[in-house]
Amino acid sequence: MSTLPFMTDEQDTGSRSLHKLDARSLRGLAHPLRMRLLASLRLNGPATASQLAEKLGESSGATSYHLRQLAAHGFVEDDPARGKGRERWWKAAHQGTLFDGELYQDPDPAVRGAVDLFMHEIATTHTQELSTWLGTMRDWPEEWVTSSDMSDFTLRLTPELTRELNTKLHELIESYRALEPAPGTPGAEQVRLHTHVFPRTAE
């Protein structure tokens, strides 16, 4: 599964730097504010605890504490090139997170609970991002509105075919990284893609 900027599956991701989750690091990340902090640093670039607090509507004490926890688990690190005096800047240590499906079966209930929280936070983020787009789409040029997509499909597949479909979807999306325009190119914007693939019981 791929949930930019949180996780991707085990396929080849080229030159992207990824943080592979294990039981310990998953428990360190599976907290709503920590996931929001990491997402902001990955999507928007380096920031201070105070800047993140203002952006996310949190206290600087809370953002400072959770940034230190993320650093302890290897998700973020200092950005000394930007620091001035006692001002501490943080940056994401990796571009994405590699999720090991075996964590679903971990014998430790605390780890399984962390998996559940992690997944539900990702689903919440996707819902919020889509709602924000729908609420602001009239502020965007027509070419962006007409190039956006919100579709769903139903297929009858085996688990093997479903994994093959996921792999091909991810490979297609990754192939567009080589086509990304240079920073500052007029008309170029960050584009978010969500993929949700899951079985359902037919009624």
Side-chain angles (χ1 to χ4, degrees):
M1 283 181 281
S2 176
T3 71
L4 163 300
F6 300 116
M7 59 186 269
T8 182
D9 71 3
E10 294 83 353
Q11 70 194 61
D12 179 16
T13 54
S15 60
R16 296 181 69 208
S17 61
L18 301 175
H19 187 299
K20 184 174 181 178
L21 289 178
D22 55 22
R24 179 181 178 276
S25 60
L26 171 64
R27 293 176 65 178
L29 176 61
H31 181 284
L33 180 53
R34 292 178 198 174
M35 293 177 69
R36 292 169 64 204
L37 289 167
L38 181 57
S40 183
L41 291 174
R42 285 179 174 171
L43 289 172
N44 303 315
T48 66
S50 296
Q51 290 170 339
L52 290 165
E54 183 176 359
K55 180 187 293 289
L56 300 179
E58 300 284 345
S59 71
S60 58
T63 55
S64 293
Y65 171 77
H66 288 292
L67 284 165
R68 291 195 299 271
Q69 293 301 306
L70 287 170
H73 290 87
F75 292 102
V76 304
E77 59 191 14
D78 284 316
D79 189 3
R82 294 175 183 266
K84 297 179 180 179
R86 301 183 65 177
E87 189 176 45
R88 189 175 188 180
W89 283 73
W90 297 92
K91 64 180 179 179
H94 307 87
Q95 295 169 297
T97 304
L98 189 68
F99 183 85
D100 186 345
E102 292 185 0
L103 290 169
Y104 283 114
Q105 310 302 325
D106 194 285
D108 186 345
V111 174
R112 297 198 303 274
V115 169
D116 289 344
L117 188 153
F118 180 72
M119 293 299 182
H120 280 89
E121 283 300 316
I122 289 172
T124 297
T125 298
H126 287 187
T127 300
Q128 291 172 340
E129 289 181 341
L130 184 56
S131 295
T132 297
W133 162 245
L134 294 176
T136 61
M137 61 190 301
R138 289 182 175 83
D139 300 332
W140 288 81
E142 182 181 358
E143 56 266 32
W144 275 113
V145 175
T146 57
S147 64
S148 67
D149 180 64
M150 188 172 65
S151 301
D152 62 84
F153 307 89
T154 302
L155 303 173
R156 184 174 297 278
L157 301 172
T158 63
E160 293 74 22
L161 286 173
T162 303
R163 179 177 292 276
E164 178 183 318
L165 174 61
N166 283 332
T167 298
K168 289 182 177 180
L169 285 172
H170 290 201
E171 287 175 348
L172 176 61
I173 293 169
E174 288 293 330
S175 72
Y176 275 76
R177 293 191 188 280
L179 305 177
E180 289 183 342
T185 299
E189 303 285 354
Q190 281 189 346
V191 173
R192 297 285 282 127
L193 295 97
H194 302 160
T195 65
H196 308 137
V197 179
F198 53 88
R200 68 180 296 272
T201 301
E203 297 178 358

